[in-house]
Amino acid sequence: MKRIGVFTSGGDAPGMNACLRAVVRTAIYHGIEVYGIRRGYSGMIHGDFCKLESHSVSNLVQKGGTFLKSARSPEFMTKEGRQKAYEQIQSAGIEGLVAIGGNGTFTGATKFYDEFGIPTVGAPGTIDNDLFGTDYTIGYDTAVNTALDSIDKIRDTADSHDRVFFIEVMGRDSGYIAVPCAIGGGAEIAMIPEATVTVESIIDKIKIDWLHAKTSSIVIIAEGEVEGGSTKVAAKVREALPDMDARVTILGHVQRGGAPTAFDRLLASRLGIACVKGLLEGQKDVMAGTINSKLVYTPLIDTIAKKKEISPEYTRMIEILSI
Amino acid sequence: MKRIGVFTSGGDAPGMNACLRAVVRTAIYHGIEVYGIRRGYSGMIHGDFCKLESHSVSNLVQKGGTFLKSARSPEFMTKEGRQKAYEQIQSAGIEGLVAIGGNGTFTGATKFYDEFGIPTVGAPGTIDNDLFGTDYTIGYDTAVNTALDSIDKIRDTADSHDRVFFIEVMGRDSGYIAVPCAIGGGAEIAMIPEATVTVESIIDKIKIDWLHAKTSSIVIIAEGEVEGGSTKVAAKVREALPDMDARVTILGHVQRGGAPTAFDRLLASRLGIACVKGLLEGQKDVMAGTINSKLVYTPLIDTIAKKKEISPEYTRMIEILSI
Amino acid sequence: MKRIGVFTSGGDAPGMNACLRAVVRTAIYHGIEVYGIRRGYSGMIHGDFCKLESHSVSNLVQKGGTFLKSARSPEFMTKEGRQKAYEQIQSAGIEGLVAIGGNGTFTGATKFYDEFGIPTVGAPGTIDNDLFGTDYTIGYDTAVNTALDSIDKIRDTADSHDRVFFIEVMGRDSGYIAVPCAIGGGAEIAMIPEATVTVESIIDKIKIDWLHAKTSSIVIIAEGEVEGGSTKVAAKVREALPDMDARVTILGHVQRGGAPTAFDRLLASRLGIACVKGLLEGQKDVMAGTINSKLVYTPLIDTIAKKKEISPEYTRMIEILSI
Amino acid sequence: MKRIGVFTSGGDAPGMNACLRAVVRTAIYHGIEVYGIRRGYSGMIHGDFCKLESHSVSNLVQKGGTFLKSARSPEFMTKEGRQKAYEQIQSAGIEGLVAIGGNGTFTGATKFYDEFGIPTVGAPGTIDNDLFGTDYTIGYDTAVNTALDSIDKIRDTADSHDRVFFIEVMGRDSGYIAVPCAIGGGAEIAMIPEATVTVESIIDKIKIDWLHAKTSSIVIIAEGEVEGGSTKVAAKVREALPDMDARVTILGHVQRGGAPTAFDRLLASRLGIACVKGLLEGQKDVMAGTINSKLVYTPLIDTIAKKKEISPEYTRMIEILSI
């Protein structure tokens, strides 16, 4: 292998730049040329490539976002789009690909591999931590810390005003962000997609807590929980407990940005190195991840199709700790 | 004067604790006893007082929120409520009051002074910076920095995805938070209550910017701007520019909490000292503030009734800097 | 078991309060009384105990330091001291102990258990991460992030001035803090106690880097590395490369404080729960830790005597990434 | 005026990039070309110039350091060096200069103006805040907040261990950084160059405080205070109070870096605009600053020669607040 391409795709995640830096420098370390592909699959189709050197990724390890940019590409979902992308890859002499992203990225990557056989190793870059084949995804630790930092601030107000706060964090399909936020944020309840918490049970819990002299409560709600979202839940609670001063904050896109944490920089660096080494060692159509701190390659198809469960121990922890 | 009372009221603001610490220690320094009144006017009515010592305010200067708590008190708006409050103050032997808060706090305070004549000095504690009689209110600098920190994070995503972001910051009646956020956040436009920016002009500006090769835009919107709020504005822009990927984030209550900045700790400390000194020197029915870094006492009625203008220079700065 | 005692000892670490909160609430959840022992073994000897309730640990999960305080106790190293401590524990009716700390804490705890047989479960609370029996200690992740945040700031200056910076981080016996700081901080070299890096090799590396157009370099030095400390190393480099503008910063005690990260809050909460459950299930003379995310109890004597190795993979990563 | 040059010189300060951005965009807004001069006077001598466009300063407002870099230039202190610089400036067609820096920068700038008459307007970019002609310098607010953030962390440890901490902050000639750090950090004492605080008085203060049940103390020491520096002071205190656990932390270069605060971004933007406007309006050999929030131009010679006093009110505040 003489030349590889690297791109980021899907929602950006803190640590993507650290991962890109590791990919670039590992390739150069092993005497391989690296081309950056801008804006993911869209740039692949349009041949938006640039040669990357060691200094191209200087002073990037601590930066949020992705300097190669990311974009959605409906065109890549078509056979014609992928054909065009293949031709661009071919004519640029790229013999292997590193794909940094999440679900959607890997769905595209494995399809592309099936059709054109260019060896591809993925790195899990998404704040959602919902990929099978790795204990942690790049950006997850940062997103949780960012959310927690906001929750700490909101608690100052909750506590000063004897309020109930409903705080919505990211997580359309999983409670991976919500759960550590609830435990670390000293919340009373977490509502997550994996386990139904009824509004009634929330009302009961708040009632009992306040009878026991609690004067503020925090409920962490994952986007994807089943009772209809933070605004709806808060409305119902307000109706049942009209004396409570209940407020809603949706943390939103803030959770995606910012300088990556030490954990994410380390993970991103390690997986970036592993992607290039994987390609050199003949890996194809897999994702590099870490399980129990050990490097593992998992078929891309499994990372999408298999489900990573969240430990029920955590729900129990929230119950005990909010006594 | 032998004994004074101090309370916080209205929305909490970072630096209130630093101000309370200064009030308590200055009083003790001058041989005066201090009573904390919990939950503002509500606690005044119910006699929820506690004697404060120097160590009561140890390790508080850096904490967000207010350890004396804050609350709304509809009862204090009635003559009977205020009568009860007066009786509590009387029977506790409190001869002067320090009131930390904003608009609503001072409206109550000046009315209470009119009726019962207990000398009262206010400190401007609100993130909104909309009080006449002081260049800055306690908590304002922190709120702006908190908002800016979030905007920096969102920019990582805006830039990685070539997006337009509409970010709503606090400010129901003024653009004091929005304007420095726009300048410091590198935003293209600020929509504020003081100056109408039409949605049409925003659409035009974005169009031109993107023609000139900008690939992301940030619009800062104060809660109280006149075009209907961030969600509505974004919807209209999306309609006019369907190719743009436009997103909305409402920063919300995060802006109220967190450790105060150096500026707010200094201001809070200075004004806390000034409140007690003011009482000792015979001030009554005034607010302590700083204008051009000098300590100034302004009649409470003026702080509410008079309007503090935002400099038009700032709007011009945004225009120049986003070229 | 009806009543347990809990204390923190040794250097404070972020997350100790979160761990205390978990211990207290888990005990209460299981109907057990908890006594806080102030200032570690010193407070044990002097009977400085206080009953803790659920609300005693409210609003503590996010606070650095330890609200029970910590202290050195030369007296506890004597047989007489421990005898006194035992009598205090006895007369307070305490039947089990939770000890939060590091090396020194567990040395005392296992000795005390040997002599008096009071069941004791430890939680690893130290920023050093040098305890056998757990992948991570409470406070470690926060310390690394704090150091990294400082390194990011210093890099701004290094880069603006074309400088070489020697940054000393904590770690008297291990490179656990230095290594992720080097990888995550984009450093060129890490000097750690586990592996000798000669000053000569540093000089060579810097020379070569600058020949290849690098314009700033960062060297991370663990306190305990073998070439004599950051000041000495910098002096030798300055002598050999007089044209280089070489500076030293010793991060110092800043690394011990601050709000714990999400990771540390979660770990601290989990281990706090595990300590109490361990006592209830008959554990004695062990430390609760996590290995590969699973809860593990390790004899206290092993946590001190056995050595936890740092992966050589990391040193290799620094080499590749700083190409 | 058709073309101007801009450079940063001296110690870097957060906000320099925000100022550069404002200079560049204001020039372009007024139809003037801008050249960046790399590495200050050194780059001027060597003709290290680059044309700057609006997008050259995109995404820079929030970045620490200076993208044009800074350097010392002994050569510029010679007549020959300045002659060379003038020739470079001439041949590049640069008709006006914006100089961002501190004392040393302006000393060079005014000399250069005297000799060659190229209109120069300076912006005060230094964390030290020791320039006459402006209430605040760019970077000062950020440096104070960075130091304070570290002090907050150290306090966690001081408080947990009943310790005395001596924390050295920057400020070779002034207490501008030390004083707000002491007030905002809840310190007991500040030692600054402007006012001698003897070690004896510190020992007395600590003794009395601890008699009155204080259990930790923080002393903030400016680099330039007169009793010999933090290490020496701590040694003497340790000798006099051997029971105290006294520690030293020197914050060092961390104070120079990091993302600028809102205040610094606003100030930097405003002064960057003012520099270009000043040149357009015929200003020469002056510094743009703000006094009482109003824009003021002060002769460069005065900014260096005249002394800006620190208000004695602050020392008094520390005394009252640490009671």
Side-chain angles (χ1 to χ4, degrees):
Chain A
M1 204 163 283
K2 292 274 167 54
R3 184 177 294 166
I4 62 171
V6 61
F7 62 96
T8 51
S9 168
D12 64 326
M16 280 186 161
N17 279 324
C19 191
L20 288 168
R21 170 179 175 263
V23 168
V24 170
R25 297 207 166 158
T26 308
I28 291 169
Y29 185 88
H30 288 96
I32 300 169
E33 288 186 345
V34 208
Y35 277 72
I37 301 165
R38 288 200 198 87
R39 293 188 175 79
Y41 294 119
S42 166
M44 204 186 277
I45 291 171
H46 299 97
D48 192 359
F49 303 160
C50 53
K51 193 167 178 226
L52 298 174
E53 308 292 349
S54 177
H55 65 80
S56 315
V57 291
S58 283
N59 225 344
L60 262 187
V61 71
Q62 81 280 23
K63 298 213 172 106
T66 159
F67 87 103
L68 284 182
K69 301 207 173 196
S70 186
R72 269 177 298 169
S73 174
E75 202 180 347
F76 194 79
M77 292 179 186
T78 68
K79 177 82 202 178
E80 294 70 37
R82 291 192 296 275
Q83 179 66 38
K84 278 195 218 166
Y86 173 67
E87 284 157 20
Q88 297 280 10
I89 293 292
Q90 275 287 86
S91 76
I94 291 170
E95 301 167 80
L97 288 169
V98 173
I100 307 171
N103 261 321
T105 310
F106 295 162
T107 306
T110 191
K111 187 147 217 133
F112 193 63
Y113 175 77
D114 280 351
E115 293 173 354
F116 303 103
I118 296 171
T120 301
V121 180
T126 162
I127 64 166
D128 293 334
N129 200 31
D130 56 355
L131 286 168
F132 182 88
T134 193
D135 287 342
Y136 299 103
T137 55
I138 298 164
Y140 169 64
D141 186 60
T142 306
V144 171
N145 276 289
T146 300
L148 204 47
D149 188 54
S150 293
I151 295 166
D152 284 352
K153 288 192 168 75
I154 292 173
R155 189 218 306 279
D156 285 342
T157 289
D159 198 56
S160 296
H161 286 274
D162 302 338
R163 273 180 189 157
V164 181
F165 259 99
F166 297 87
I167 305 176
E168 186 176 309
V169 299
M170 285 196 165
R172 224 162 294 177
D173 304 308
S174 96
Y176 270 110
I177 293 180
V179 159
C181 282
I183 295 173
E188 273 63 33
I189 301 155
M191 300 179 79
I192 59 175
E194 289 91 339
T196 307
V197 175
T198 62
V199 176
E200 288 67 40
S201 70
I202 291 177
I203 294 167
D204 286 349
K205 167 83 173 142
I206 294 175
K207 264 196 217 159
I208 292 169
D209 280 352
W210 288 56
L211 276 177
H212 288 86
K214 284 222 177 185
T215 58
S216 66
S217 305
I218 289 175
V219 179
I220 303 296
I221 303 186
E223 281 176 293
E225 67 71 45
V226 292
E227 293 280 287
S230 51
T231 314
K232 228 177 199 168
V233 170
K236 285 191 205 163
V237 171
R238 257 189 227 111
E239 209 178 301
L241 304 170
D243 289 348
M244 293 281 154
D245 188 1
R247 305 290 174 108
V248 176
T249 297
I250 299 172
L251 296 185
H253 276 84
V254 175
Q255 297 164 81
R256 293 207 167 279
T261 58
F263 185 94
D264 274 333
R265 297 189 202 185
L266 206 61
L267 180 68
S269 300
R270 211 177 156 198
L271 295 182
I273 294 174
C275 284
V276 177
K277 291 211 168 154
L279 283 176
L280 290 180
E281 292 161 5
Q283 295 286 357
K284 41 191 111 175
D285 202 22
V286 295
M287 180 191 82
T290 63
I291 295 180
N292 291 338
S293 301
K294 295 216 162 34
L295 199 62
V296 179
Y297 295 100
T298 303
L300 282 176
I301 191 69
D302 289 352
T303 68
I304 313 156
K306 294 196 180 168
K307 181 83 188 152
K308 185 162 80 173
E309 299 296 341
I310 198 164
S311 164
E313 182 193 345
Y314 291 124
T315 310
R316 184 122 173 80
M317 282 176 71
I318 298 169
E319 189 195 334
I320 294 175
L321 294 174
S322 69
I323 200 174
Chain B
M1 205 165 281
K2 294 275 169 53
R3 185 177 294 167
I4 63 171
V6 61
F7 62 95
T8 51
S9 168
D12 64 327
M16 280 186 161
N17 280 324
C19 191
L20 287 169
R21 168 178 175 266
V23 168
V24 170
R25 296 205 168 159
T26 309
I28 290 169
Y29 185 87
H30 288 96
I32 298 170
E33 288 186 346
V34 207
Y35 277 72
I37 301 167
R38 287 200 199 88
R39 295 189 174 77
Y41 294 120
S42 165
M44 205 185 278
I45 290 171
H46 298 98
D48 192 0
F49 304 159
C50 54
K51 195 168 177 225
L52 298 173
E53 308 293 348
S54 177
H55 64 79
S56 314
V57 291
S58 283
N59 226 342
L60 263 188
V61 71
Q62 82 279 23
K63 297 212 172 108
T66 159
F67 87 101
L68 284 182
K69 302 205 170 196
S70 186
R72 271 178 297 170
S73 173
E75 202 180 346
F76 194 78
M77 293 179 184
T78 66
K79 177 82 202 176
E80 295 71 38
R82 290 192 297 276
Q83 179 66 38
K84 278 195 217 166
Y86 173 67
E87 284 158 20
Q88 297 280 9
I89 293 290
Q90 273 288 83
S91 76
I94 292 169
E95 300 167 79
L97 289 169
V98 173
I100 307 171
N103 262 320
T105 309
F106 296 162
T107 307
T110 191
K111 188 147 214 133
F112 193 63
Y113 175 76
D114 281 352
E115 293 174 353
F116 303 103
I118 296 171
T120 301
V121 180
T126 162
I127 64 165
D128 294 334
N129 200 31
D130 57 355
L131 287 167
F132 182 88
T134 193
D135 287 341
Y136 299 103
T137 55
I138 297 164
Y140 169 65
D141 185 62
T142 306
V144 171
N145 276 290
T146 299
L148 204 47
D149 187 56
S150 292
I151 294 165
D152 284 351
K153 290 194 167 75
I154 291 172
R155 189 217 307 276
D156 286 342
T157 289
D159 199 56
S160 296
H161 286 274
D162 302 338
R163 274 181 189 156
V164 181
F165 259 98
F166 297 87
I167 306 176
E168 185 177 309
V169 299
M170 285 194 166
R172 224 162 294 178
D173 305 307
S174 97
Y176 271 110
I177 292 180
V179 159
C181 281
I183 296 173
E188 273 63 32
I189 301 155
M191 301 180 77
I192 60 174
E194 288 92 340
T196 305
V197 176
T198 64
V199 175
E200 287 67 40
S201 69
I202 291 177
I203 293 166
D204 286 349
K205 167 83 175 142
I206 294 176
K207 265 196 217 158
I208 293 169
D209 281 352
W210 288 56
L211 277 178
H212 287 86
K214 283 222 176 184
T215 58
S216 65
S217 305
I218 289 176
V219 180
I220 304 295
I221 303 186
E223 280 176 294
E225 66 73 45
V226 291
E227 291 281 286
S230 50
T231 313
K232 230 177 197 165
V233 170
K236 286 189 204 163
V237 171
R238 254 188 230 114
E239 210 177 302
L241 304 169
D243 288 349
M244 293 279 154
D245 188 2
R247 304 290 173 108
V248 176
T249 297
I250 299 171
L251 296 184
H253 276 86
V254 174
Q255 297 164 81
R256 294 207 165 279
T261 58
F263 185 94
D264 274 332
R265 297 189 202 185
L266 207 61
L267 180 67
S269 300
R270 210 176 156 199
L271 295 183
I273 294 174
C275 284
V276 176
K277 290 210 171 156
L279 282 177
L280 290 180
E281 292 161 4
Q283 296 285 358
K284 42 192 108 174
D285 203 21
V286 296
M287 181 191 82
T290 64
I291 295 179
N292 290 339
S293 301
K294 293 217 164 34
L295 200 62
V296 179
Y297 294 99
T298 303
L300 283 176
I301 192 69
D302 288 353
T303 68
I304 313 156
K306 294 196 180 168
K307 181 84 188 152
K308 186 162 79 174
E309 299 297 338
I310 199 163
S311 163
E313 181 194 345
Y314 291 125
T315 309
R316 185 124 172 79
M317 283 176 69
I318 299 169
E319 190 195 334
I320 295 175
L321 295 174
S322 69
I323 202 174
Chain C
M1 204 165 281
K2 294 276 169 53
R3 185 178 293 168
I4 62 172
V6 61
F7 63 96
T8 51
S9 168
D12 63 328
M16 280 186 161
N17 280 325
C19 191
L20 287 168
R21 169 178 175 265
V23 168
V24 169
R25 295 207 168 158
T26 309
I28 290 169
Y29 185 88
H30 288 97
I32 299 169
E33 288 186 346
V34 208
Y35 277 72
I37 301 166
R38 288 200 198 87
R39 295 187 174 78
Y41 293 121
S42 166
M44 206 186 277
I45 290 171
H46 299 97
D48 192 359
F49 303 159
C50 54
K51 192 163 180 229
L52 298 173
E53 308 293 348
S54 177
H55 64 80
S56 314
V57 291
S58 283
N59 226 343
L60 263 187
V61 71
Q62 82 279 23
K63 298 214 170 105
T66 159
F67 87 102
L68 283 182
K69 302 206 171 197
S70 186
R72 271 178 298 170
S73 174
E75 201 181 346
F76 193 78
M77 292 179 184
T78 67
K79 177 81 202 178
E80 294 71 38
R82 291 193 296 276
Q83 179 66 38
K84 278 196 218 166
Y86 173 66
E87 284 158 19
Q88 297 280 10
I89 293 291
Q90 274 288 84
S91 76
I94 290 170
E95 300 167 78
L97 288 169
V98 173
I100 306 171
N103 262 319
T105 309
F106 295 162
T107 307
T110 191
K111 187 148 215 133
F112 193 64
Y113 175 76
D114 281 352
E115 292 173 354
F116 302 104
I118 296 171
T120 301
V121 180
T126 162
I127 64 165
D128 295 334
N129 200 31
D130 57 355
L131 286 167
F132 182 88
T134 192
D135 286 342
Y136 298 103
T137 54
I138 298 164
Y140 169 64
D141 185 62
T142 306
V144 171
N145 276 290
T146 300
L148 204 47
D149 187 56
S150 292
I151 294 166
D152 284 352
K153 289 194 167 74
I154 291 172
R155 188 217 307 276
D156 285 342
T157 289
D159 199 56
S160 296
H161 286 274
D162 302 338
R163 273 181 189 156
V164 181
F165 259 98
F166 297 87
I167 306 176
E168 185 176 309
V169 299
M170 285 195 165
R172 224 162 293 178
D173 305 307
S174 97
Y176 271 109
I177 292 180
V179 159
C181 281
I183 295 173
E188 273 63 33
I189 301 154
M191 300 179 77
I192 60 174
E194 289 91 340
T196 305
V197 176
T198 63
V199 175
E200 287 68 39
S201 69
I202 291 177
I203 293 166
D204 286 350
K205 167 82 174 144
I206 294 176
K207 265 196 218 158
I208 293 171
D209 280 353
W210 288 56
L211 276 178
H212 287 86
K214 282 222 178 186
T215 59
S216 66
S217 305
I218 289 176
V219 179
I220 304 295
I221 303 185
E223 279 177 294
E225 66 72 47
V226 292
E227 292 280 285
S230 50
T231 314
K232 231 178 196 164
V233 170
K236 286 189 203 164
V237 171
R238 256 190 229 112
E239 211 177 301
L241 305 169
D243 288 349
M244 293 281 154
D245 189 2
R247 305 289 174 107
V248 176
T249 297
I250 299 171
L251 296 185
H253 276 85
V254 174
Q255 297 164 80
R256 293 206 166 280
T261 58
F263 185 94
D264 274 333
R265 297 189 203 184
L266 206 61
L267 180 67
S269 300
R270 210 176 156 199
L271 295 182
I273 293 174
C275 285
V276 176
K277 290 212 171 154
L279 283 176
L280 290 180
E281 293 161 4
Q283 295 285 357
K284 43 192 109 176
D285 203 21
V286 295
M287 180 190 82
T290 63
I291 295 180
N292 291 339
S293 302
K294 292 217 163 34
L295 198 64
V296 179
Y297 294 99
T298 303
L300 283 176
I301 192 70
D302 289 352
T303 67
I304 313 156
K306 294 195 180 167
K307 181 83 187 152
K308 186 162 78 175
E309 300 296 339
I310 198 163
S311 164
E313 181 194 345
Y314 290 125
T315 309
R316 185 124 173 78
M317 283 175 69
I318 298 170
E319 190 195 334
I320 294 175
L321 295 174
S322 69
I323 203 175
Chain D
M1 203 163 282
K2 292 274 167 56
R3 186 177 292 168
I4 62 171
V6 61
F7 62 96
T8 51
S9 168
D12 64 326
M16 279 185 161
N17 279 325
C19 191
L20 288 168
R21 169 178 175 265
V23 168
V24 170
R25 298 208 166 158
T26 308
I28 290 169
Y29 185 88
H30 288 95
I32 300 169
E33 287 186 346
V34 208
Y35 278 72
I37 301 166
R38 288 201 197 87
R39 293 188 175 80
Y41 294 119
S42 166
M44 205 185 278
I45 290 172
H46 299 96
D48 192 0
F49 304 159
C50 53
K51 193 165 179 229
L52 299 173
E53 308 293 349
S54 177
H55 64 79
S56 314
V57 292
S58 282
N59 225 344
L60 263 187
V61 70
Q62 81 280 23
K63 297 211 173 108
T66 159
F67 86 103
L68 283 182
K69 300 205 174 198
S70 187
R72 270 177 296 169
S73 173
E75 202 180 348
F76 194 79
M77 293 179 185
T78 68
K79 177 82 202 176
E80 294 71 37
R82 290 193 297 275
Q83 178 67 37
K84 278 195 218 166
Y86 173 67
E87 285 157 19
Q88 297 280 10
I89 293 290
Q90 275 286 86
S91 76
I94 291 170
E95 302 167 78
L97 288 168
V98 173
I100 307 172
N103 262 320
T105 309
F106 295 162
T107 306
T110 191
K111 188 149 216 131
F112 193 64
Y113 175 78
D114 281 351
E115 293 174 353
F116 303 102
I118 296 171
T120 301
V121 180
T126 161
I127 64 166
D128 293 334
N129 200 32
D130 57 355
L131 287 167
F132 182 87
T134 192
D135 287 341
Y136 299 102
T137 56
I138 298 164
Y140 169 65
D141 186 60
T142 306
V144 171
N145 276 290
T146 300
L148 204 47
D149 188 54
S150 293
I151 294 166
D152 284 351
K153 288 192 168 74
I154 292 173
R155 189 217 307 277
D156 285 343
T157 289
D159 198 56
S160 296
H161 285 274
D162 302 339
R163 274 180 189 158
V164 181
F165 259 98
F166 296 87
I167 306 176
E168 186 176 309
V169 298
M170 286 196 164
R172 225 163 292 177
D173 304 309
S174 96
Y176 270 110
I177 293 180
V179 159
C181 281
I183 295 173
E188 272 64 32
I189 301 155
M191 300 179 78
I192 60 175
E194 289 91 340
T196 306
V197 175
T198 63
V199 176
E200 288 67 40
S201 70
I202 291 177
I203 294 167
D204 286 349
K205 167 83 174 144
I206 294 176
K207 263 195 216 158
I208 292 170
D209 280 352
W210 288 57
L211 277 177
H212 287 86
K214 282 222 177 185
T215 58
S216 66
S217 305
I218 289 175
V219 179
I220 304 296
I221 304 186
E223 280 176 295
E225 66 72 44
V226 292
E227 292 280 288
S230 51
T231 315
K232 229 177 198 166
V233 170
K236 285 190 204 162
V237 171
R238 258 190 227 111
E239 209 179 301
L241 304 170
D243 288 349
M244 292 281 153
D245 189 1
R247 304 290 173 108
V248 176
T249 297
I250 298 172
L251 295 185
H253 277 85
V254 175
Q255 296 163 81
R256 293 206 168 279
T261 58
F263 185 94
D264 275 332
R265 297 190 201 183
L266 206 61
L267 181 67
S269 301
R270 211 176 155 198
L271 295 182
I273 294 174
C275 284
V276 176
K277 292 212 168 154
L279 283 176
L280 291 180
E281 292 161 6
Q283 295 285 356
K284 41 191 111 176
D285 203 22
V286 296
M287 180 191 83
T290 63
I291 295 180
N292 291 338
S293 301
K294 295 220 160 32
L295 200 63
V296 179
Y297 295 99
T298 303
L300 283 176
I301 191 69
D302 289 352
T303 68
I304 312 156
K306 295 197 180 167
K307 181 84 188 152
K308 186 163 78 174
E309 300 296 341
I310 198 164
S311 163
E313 182 194 344
Y314 290 125
T315 310
R316 185 122 173 78
M317 282 176 70
I318 299 169
E319 190 195 333
I320 294 175
L321 294 174
S322 70
I323 200 175

